[in-house]
């Protein structure tokens, strides 16, 4: 994915969850938990230089993380 502004990434991520802001927030929260516990990012972003919520939102925007992938792990 080429360089996108944060607003563009958020809009793409929101589209992936049918504009459900609560669902998007829940997905980001769960993915941040996974990343903080050692999960590897599914996008080319360094965990040391990028904030975990930014990584999670990019993963959702790119279709790497979906509700079912989070539900399967709980």
């Amino acid at each position: 994915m080429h360089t996108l502004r944060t607003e563009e990434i958020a809009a793409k991520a929101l589209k992936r969850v049918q504009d459900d802001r609560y669902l998007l927030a829940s997905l980001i929260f769960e993915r941040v938990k996974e990343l903080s516990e050692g999960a590897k990012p599914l996008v080319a972003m360094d965990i040391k230089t990028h904030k975990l919520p930014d990584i999670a939102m990019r993963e959702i925007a790119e279709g790497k993380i979906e509700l079912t992938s989070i539900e399967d792990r709980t």
Side-chain angles (χ1 to χ4, degrees):
M1 184 177 275
H2 65 284
T3 304
L4 294 175
R5 293 187 357 223
T6 302
E7 297 83 17
E8 294 170 319
I9 295 168
K12 281 186 149 203
L14 199 51
K15 264 188 188 175
R16 293 240 179 228
V17 293
Q18 291 74 44
D19 295 318
D20 186 333
R21 292 176 186 272
Y22 176 77
L23 179 57
L24 179 59
S26 295
L27 282 174
I28 291 170
F29 175 78
E30 288 300 323
R31 184 59 179 155
V32 165
K33 257 183 15 183
E34 292 175 355
L35 290 167
S36 69
E37 293 171 353
K40 302 285 183 218
L42 302 175
V43 292
M45 294 176 77
D46 186 359
I47 204 163
K48 294 176 184 170
T49 57
H50 292 91
K51 295 177 183 174
L52 298 181
D54 293 340
I55 295 171
M57 182 142 5
R58 173 66 65 100
E59 290 175 334
I60 295 164
E62 291 187 13
K64 310 275 185 188
I65 297 292
E66 296 178 355
L67 180 60
T68 55
S69 58
I70 296 294
E71 287 177 336
D72 291 345
R73 295 179 188 161
T74 57

